[in-house]
Amino acid sequence: MSPLVLRGARADYGDTPVLGPLDLDIAAGERVALVGRSGAGKSTLLALLHDRERPDIALMPQDLGLVDTLSVFHNVYMGRLSHHSTAYNLANLIRPFRREVTAVTAVLERLDMTATLWARTGELCGGQRQRVAVARALFQAGNVLLADEPVSALDGPRTERVMEALTEQYETAVIAMHDLPLARRYADRLIGIRDGLIALDGPADAVAAESLDALY
Ligand SMILES: Nc1ncnc2c1ncn2[C@@H]1O[C@H](COP(=O)(O)OP(=O)(O)OP(=O)(O)O)[C@@H](O)[C@H]1O
């Protein structure tokens, strides 16, 4: 896998600078949690890391990017659209192939979501919708995961199940999250963003609680 590299990266919305300039290297096998207060620039940083030319990068955006009028099956299957021809994808859209249904069902099982396989995604509650987006990212089975608050609508055992599934599937991941204890447990590197810049970067088990608190 090629690493993720940013050099002098920056982002502006109109005339307002919101991120950078910053340099960042993510090596293969690193699990990184992006932390920082709301509006610090985490989503913007994920967008800069997302190289659309690389189908090996799975992106789970904060708005989930689901097609509400389609079933859970179809939304999850979309994770692998680039693996197949247009003709195959169209045929599968109209009459799903058994092998694809089996593969999608296996991913949904990991998230306790098989009962919703043929439900319209727009009819699901927030936590279920979030898990559909997680399932799509798992189904993509790329080399790198970029995820923006993948468990914000979940609680308790469901949060753990999703974090376990994502980190089992993806050895290399950059995940924006607000839950600091969860970030410490599932990431091996913490990057703290403050006012669009990297204010903290270190091993998850070595970053001091006071340094994290200072981000908020
Ligand atoms: N479409 C947009 N137009 C204008 N400004 C924007 C837009 N999207 C984000 N911003 C601004 O860019 C800055 C960084 O936003 P960003 O969403 O990257 O932060 P974040 O750390 O991901 O926040 P959150 O934790 O709430 O998701 C914020 O000041 C935000 O208001």
Side-chain angles (χ1 to χ4, degrees):
M1 178 210 105
S2 343
L4 300 173
V5 178
L6 295 177
R7 290 284 173 268
R10 53 177 302 149
D12 308 304
Y13 284 112
D15 292 336
T16 314
V18 294
L19 193 85
L22 54 80
D23 297 339
L24 181 61
D25 291 88
I26 311 284
E30 276 192 309
R31 292 213 187 90
V32 179
L34 283 185
V35 296
R37 70 162 71 127
S38 191
K42 304 180 296 298
S43 303
T44 307
L45 179 54
L46 286 173
L48 290 182
L49 287 168
H50 186 215
D51 180 347
R52 285 165 204 281
E53 305 291 307
R54 283 184 54 182
D56 67 319
I57 299 181
L59 174 70
M60 180 181 163
Q62 201 173 89
D63 69 5
L64 306 180
L66 301 173
V67 182
D68 284 348
T69 48
L70 290 180
S71 72
V72 169
F73 167 80
H74 288 99
N75 273 277
V76 175
Y77 175 78
M78 275 177 215
R80 282 196 198 161
L81 281 181
S82 66
H83 295 213
H84 302 288
S85 68
T86 306
Y88 183 96
N89 287 331
L90 271 176
N92 186 62
L93 174 71
I94 296 161
R95 196 165 170 182
F97 297 117
R98 183 174 304 186
R99 65 173 167 277
E100 301 298 349
V101 175
T102 303
V104 168
T105 302
V107 171
L108 292 174
E109 257 166 27
R110 294 168 71 181
L111 305 171
D112 196 18
M113 285 282 287
T114 45
T116 64
L117 180 66
W118 299 113
R120 254 180 13 128
T121 307
E123 290 166 358
L124 303 180
C125 70
Q128 289 173 319
R129 290 168 54 74
Q130 195 163 46
R131 281 182 288 159
V132 174
V134 167
R136 186 189 54 204
L138 293 173
F139 193 64
Q140 184 168 339
N143 293 321
V144 183
L145 171 72
L146 304 175
D148 202 345
E149 297 185 32
V151 292
S152 58
L154 307 178
D155 50 27
R158 288 206 171 121
T159 299
E160 302 294 334
R161 198 151 179 184
V162 164
M163 288 305 297
E164 273 163 23
L166 288 175
T167 50
E168 266 168 33
Q169 179 86 46
Y170 287 98
E171 281 184 10
T172 309
V174 184
I175 304 179
M177 52 205 308
H178 282 286
D179 184 330
L180 296 178
L182 200 68
R184 275 200 199 271
R185 254 184 296 135
Y186 285 96
D188 39 51
R189 177 177 170 192
L190 296 184
I191 295 179
I193 308 294
R194 188 172 52 213
D195 300 332
L197 294 171
I198 295 176
L200 174 161
D201 185 356
D205 53 6
V207 171
E210 305 82 63
S211 311
L212 280 175
D213 290 345
L215 294 170
Y216 289 87

